[in-house]
Amino acid sequence: AQRVTQPEKLLSVFKGAPVELKCNYSYSGSPELFWYVQYSRQRLQLLLRHISRESIKGFTADLNKGETSFHLKKPFAQEEDSAMYYCALSGYGANNLFFGTGTRLTVIP
Amino acid sequence: DTAVSQTPKYLVTQMGNDKSIKCEQNLGHDTMYWYKQDSKKFLKIMFSYNNKELIINETVPNRFSPKSPDKAHLNLHINSLELGDSAVYFCASSQQGGGGGGEQFFGPGTRLTVL
């Protein structure tokens, strides 16, 4: 069975400090991993996906199959990064996303 | 040009009532979903429809019945509402699978409060 774990419900960092949001997964096949973000009063939206290997708003995430992790990182946090972040997993070619419980990131000015 | 819209945005009702939430997407996507977000912000898939056909039903009580009149609409009807149904319900859509590299587009959510 698939499982996504985000161990931190709340994370606070100072502006300009590095930030890492942890995500570990459990899946028997080849997973697709995603990070979704929900800013205050906005809808949930895709931030990045592992197959794209892209950096969005300064965030990157590397899929580590050995550690079954997909941590989200940014070297210098900005106030506008404050939001709820969800790690999500899908089986390759599957239709549904399984979400972690989310981490609320607060960037302190 | 709202991509995925839901109505109503807020819904307050008494226990035992029947209510519906509507969802529409204008992205031309084939697949639509309903998610439930509980008070702890846990987001869980309820249903998935592809071209008007149900493809996922994640152990949701049969009081919840999705209806897809066409592939642009996926409505959620809830019978005999219970206190535990209070949550935010999100509709989403995607092209093809949504999981195989595809992105899911979410609606703004409907906050349901059962009194």
Side-chain angles (χ1 to χ4, degrees), chain B residues 37-92:
Chain B
Q37 186 181 47
D38 62 23
S39 58
K40 296 181 180 178
K41 300 292 187 184
F42 182 54
L43 199 62
K44 185 175 180 181
I45 189 162
M46 300 173 68
F47 299 102
S48 171
Y49 265 72
N50 183 266
N51 274 321
K52 302 194 297 176
E53 289 189 21
L54 178 67
I55 51 175
I56 292 172
N57 179 343
E58 289 286 330
T59 59
V60 177
N62 57 15
R63 297 183 295 105
F64 290 79
S65 53
K67 294 280 192 300
S68 182
D70 55 61
K71 74 173 194 176
H73 295 83
L74 182 61
N75 303 323
L76 184 64
H77 189 77
I78 315 170
N79 289 327
S80 302
L81 277 156
E82 300 177 357
L83 293 176
D85 297 334
S86 294
V88 180
Y89 292 84
F90 287 98
C91 178

Side-chain angles (χ1 to χ4, degrees), chain A residues 9 32 34 36 38 42-46 49 51 84 86 90-102 104, chain B residues 2 4 31 33 35 37 40-43 45 48 55-56 58 90 96-104 106-108:
Chain A
K9 286 188 178 179
E32 300 283 353
F34 306 82
Y36 277 77
Q38 188 174 25
Q42 293 187 30
R43 61 189 68 197
L44 196 63
Q45 57 187 289
L46 178 68
R49 69 195 87 178
I51 60 171
M84 191 77 179
Y86 290 94
S90 177
Y92 182 78
N95 288 303
N96 53 314
L97 286 172
F98 291 94
F99 285 87
T101 48
R104 181 172 296 282
Chain B
T2 304
V4 182
T31 309
Y33 313 80
Y35 290 87
Q37 186 181 47
K40 296 181 180 178
K41 300 292 187 184
F42 182 54
L43 199 62
I45 189 162
S48 171
I55 51 175
I56 292 172
E58 289 286 330
F90 287 98
Q96 58 174 40
E103 174 181 355
Q104 290 192 16
F106 284 79

Side-chain angles (χ1 to χ4, degrees), chain A residues 32-107:
Chain A
E32 300 283 353
L33 273 298
F34 306 82
W35 277 99
Y36 277 77
V37 61
Q38 188 174 25
Y39 300 102
S40 179
R41 296 193 182 89
Q42 293 187 30
R43 61 189 68 197
L44 196 63
Q45 57 187 289
L46 178 68
L47 180 63
L48 55 79
R49 69 195 87 178
H50 91 270
I51 60 171
S52 300
R53 296 181 179 275
E54 56 199 348
S55 173
I56 303 293
K57 299 184 179 183
F59 284 97
T60 59
D62 291 319
L63 179 61
N64 186 323
K65 291 187 178 180
E67 295 182 359
T68 58
S69 68
F70 188 56
H71 304 325
L72 183 68
K73 300 177 184 178
K74 184 170 182 176
F76 307 104
Q78 302 298 315
E79 289 179 64
E80 55 266 29
D81 297 329
S82 295
M84 191 77 179
Y85 291 81
Y86 290 94
C87 182
L89 173 153
S90 177
Y92 182 78
N95 288 303
N96 53 314
L97 286 172
F98 291 94
F99 285 87
T101 48
T103 298
R104 181 172 296 282
L105 173 66
T106 301
V107 180

